Amino acid sequence: MEFLIRFSQSHETFRLPEIQALALIEGIDMRIVSYSLESPFCIVSLPSGDAAKRLIRRSILAMSIHELWGSGSDLDKVHSAVRSTTSHLWSKYMTCSFKFTIDSYQGSRTSDDKIRIINSFAYLGFAGPIKMRGPDEEFILFEDWEFNSTPLGIPDPKYYYFGRYLGSGARELPKKLDLKKRRYISTTSMDAELALVTANLALAAPGKIMYDPFVGTGSFPIACAQFGAVTFGSDIDGRSIRGDEKKRTLRGNFEQYGLLGGLGGMFTADLTNSPIRRAELRYDGDGVTGRVFDGIVCDPPYGVREGLRVLGVRDPEKCPWVIPKGKEMYKNPDFIPPRKPYSFQAMLDNILQFSAQTLVDNGRLSFWMPTANDEDQEIPVPTHPYLEMVSVCTQPFNKWSRRLITYRRIPDVEVDPEAMKAREEAKPVGKTADELNPFRKAYFNGFESADKGPEHPS
């Protein structure tokens, strides 16, 4: 059976990966029939109407799903399709209450036009009462108009879809988790909508264990817990987790939403100094032993405000007293451990390596990374022999973008040993903040190519 998904026309590159992830979560066999980034309408093939409702119920970017009765480039073709393919269904809705709606994307209709179009479906013969609020069934004619059609005086849409409403997505959920109403946030807290989309792409669900190694104030664990997962997190700065140690804490955020059951535990650490046990990478593993996480979600620091840091000492020979002193003072609540410069490329590599060692087979890593829009300065998407790239979603800004990259942890037996050897030969070099972080350098140069020279704002 074919169904029509009505997306919101936002975050276009995220929409299809989210729906595909939800099909995996629900165990639904789904096939994409037609889809375009330029349109909010997507036709999919699903086994049943019940499967359609389950597919859409926790989607953040899909508004609704409909049983597709007919489509075409003009109304005559729509009517012909409805008559030829759905006449056996009409008797089910003869006496129930119903309403007709016209949804015009990028276009508009006068009231008289709407009435005329609705009356053209009179052959359906529905005899039940018309209810504009709370009807038993709703039938919607979707119109896909050309951009700027009203001022250009374009008389008709470029395409029509007619269907029976089945269910809505979770478009209200970001309002519940809105950062403006959250007790405790920071300047880098991920907005609720994209945090929830990230949780969907990482397949967060009941029975899953999720982890955020750059947890901050907990945006991603909260989103994952909202979908029933148990969440863990860590941060190099424990103060972001503790907050004011009263109400404005990471734990307080979970309490605010009634999600304490999904809070596993939070601790201070970084990827290079973590208490989490990492399994040895093998080519004959059983897919379970030594690996615990079903998903890893994070938005690592970009190193723009200040250079990236990890726990440690830049030059242990010059400051031999720092490490012994730290071992004495680490339990002090005010103790801030020493840090050393960290390469941006090394951070990306460490995220992938850590994920390969801790994700179960088919577990997912979904993390955000920045890049310049200029092709000459674009940071390539990192790869790892143990991780298969699932999707790359892009949120563009002015001269730079950030990507949400999702990987699947492949079974050991599918890994290419030669690819692993080649990966170990490439090691990032550099000492200064700009050398260690190409994105930071491009950011402060105004994302101008080297041959153009940097921008000099007045």
Side-chain angles (χ1 to χ4, degrees):
M1 297 177 64
E2 290 190 351
F3 298 84
L4 177 72
I5 298 176
R6 202 318 188 175
F7 286 113
S8 66
Q9 192 60 10
S10 61
H11 302 305
E12 292 85 353
T13 60
F14 294 73
R15 300 182 306 193
L16 200 57
E18 186 198 34
I19 286 295
Q20 291 169 330
L22 294 178
L24 282 176
I25 291 172
E26 298 292 341
I28 297 172
D29 182 18
M30 180 186 73
R31 179 174 63 87
I32 305 298
V33 178
S34 69
Y35 174 71
S36 169
L37 293 176
E38 307 303 320
S39 170
F41 304 112
C42 174
I43 299 177
V44 296
S45 176
L46 299 168
S48 66
D50 178 66
K53 294 177 184 178
R54 289 190 290 114
L55 173 70
I56 210 75
R57 61 186 176 184
R58 55 178 272 187
S59 172
I60 305 303
L61 301 178
M63 298 172 65
S64 55
I65 193 164
H66 311 261
E67 185 179 77
L68 185 61
W69 281 27
S71 62
S73 56
D74 58 53
L75 278 174
D76 289 340
K77 291 179 180 178
V78 174
H79 291 313
S80 177
V82 172
R83 284 189 173 99
S84 63
T85 61
T86 66
S87 57
H88 63 287
L89 299 174
W90 301 353
S91 60
K92 295 181 180 180
Y93 313 108
M94 284 297 175
T95 58
C96 66
S97 62
F98 70 96
K99 78 171 182 178
F100 268 74
T101 305
I102 295 180
D103 182 338
S104 298
Y105 171 68
Q106 295 190 146
S108 62
R109 292 281 192 184
T110 65
S111 296
D112 289 342
D113 276 345
K114 290 180 179 179
I115 293 173
R116 174 181 57 80
I117 293 172
I118 290 172
N119 286 337
S120 70
F121 287 89
Y123 57 85
L124 293 172
F126 299 156
I130 297 174
K131 291 180 65 176
M132 300 311 292
R133 291 187 179 181
D136 295 327
E137 301 290 344
E138 181 178 1
F139 298 87
I140 304 178
L141 178 67
F142 294 96
E143 298 180 333
D144 191 0
W145 293 71
E146 295 284 358
F147 175 70
N148 228 14
S149 58
T150 301
L152 292 176
I154 297 174
D156 296 300
K158 58 184 179 182
Y159 213 80
Y160 298 85
Y161 306 89
F162 180 70
R164 182 175 69 91
Y165 170 82
L166 294 177
S168 296
R171 293 288 294 163
E172 296 298 314
L173 195 52
K175 296 180 182 178
K176 173 187 174 182
L177 305 183
D178 190 355
L179 293 183
K180 295 179 181 178
K181 302 175 184 177
R182 190 173 298 176
R183 292 176 186 168
Y184 177 49
I185 63 172
S186 69
T187 55
T188 58
S189 295
M190 180 64 69
D191 73 82
E193 182 178 49
L194 290 177
L196 289 163
V197 171
T198 305
N200 274 338
L201 288 175
L203 309 182
K208 298 286 188 73
I209 299 176
M210 313 296 286
Y211 173 62
D212 182 353
F214 305 93
V215 70
T217 59
S219 289
F220 291 118
I222 287 170
C224 293
Q226 180 64 47
F227 293 134
V230 176
T231 62
F232 292 82
S234 62
D235 201 283
I236 190 172
D237 190 346
R239 293 171 297 180
S240 66
I241 299 173
R242 297 190 297 270
D244 65 3
E245 300 188 22
K246 296 177 182 177
K247 286 187 176 182
R248 296 184 69 256
T249 65
L250 188 151
R251 179 186 174 87
N253 286 340
F254 276 79
E255 291 176 341
Q256 179 180 351
Y257 301 118
L259 297 174
L260 274 180
L263 177 59
M266 303 291 163
F267 53 93
T268 302
D270 66 41
L271 282 178
T272 64
N273 296 274
S274 175
I276 296 175
R277 183 179 300 169
R278 307 185 195 190
E280 179 185 355
L281 292 179
R282 302 168 56 183
Y283 304 109
D284 59 349
D286 59 11
V288 178
T289 304
R291 292 185 267 143
V292 66
F293 297 128
D294 296 287
I296 295 174
V297 290
C298 61
D299 182 22
Y302 303 159
V304 172
R305 291 185 178 87
E306 58 182 22
L308 293 171
R309 297 285 190 273
V310 290
L311 298 176
V313 183
R314 183 197 295 262
D315 191 342
E317 293 183 359
K318 289 185 177 180
C319 306
W321 55 271
V322 173
I323 294 178
K325 196 67 176 177
K327 291 180 179 179
E328 296 176 10
M329 302 177 60
Y330 76 98
K331 291 186 178 181
N332 187 330
D334 298 325
F335 174 68
I336 300 176
R339 303 174 188 181
K340 62 182 180 181
Y342 191 27
S343 162
F344 182 79
Q345 302 289 6
M347 178 184 68
L348 298 181
D349 185 74
N350 285 337
I351 292 173
L352 269 61
Q353 178 74 359
F354 178 88
S355 300
Q357 292 179 291
T358 58
L359 284 173
V360 300
D361 281 1
N362 299 311
R364 285 199 171 188
L365 162 66
S366 290
F367 82 98
W368 291 81
M369 66 165 280
T371 185
N373 293 337
D374 189 319
E375 291 183 3
D376 294 334
Q377 302 179 71
E378 184 178 3
I379 299 174
V381 175
T383 59
H384 193 287
Y386 283 77
L387 299 171
E388 175 191 40
M389 196 179 304
V390 175
S391 64
V392 179
C393 307
T394 304
Q395 182 186 22
F397 296 106
N398 184 14
K399 294 186 178 182
W400 67 284
S401 304
R402 61 178 179 180
R403 297 165 170 163
L404 174 58
I405 310 171
T406 301
Y407 304 82
R408 176 182 73 92
R409 206 310 187 166
I410 62 177
D412 292 342
V413 294
E414 298 178 15
V415 177
D416 180 5
E418 294 302 319
M420 194 63 189
K421 290 180 182 178
R423 173 188 174 275
E424 292 175 353
E425 293 176 359
K427 296 295 181 182
V429 296
K431 294 183 178 181
T432 68
D434 283 349
E435 290 172 344
L436 293 169
N437 189 342
F439 176 76
R440 183 179 191 272
K441 181 178 181 180
Y443 185 93
F444 284 114
N445 285 339
F447 295 100
E448 289 293 330
S449 297
D451 57 343
K452 296 179 183 177
E455 284 184 348
H456 296 283
S458 59

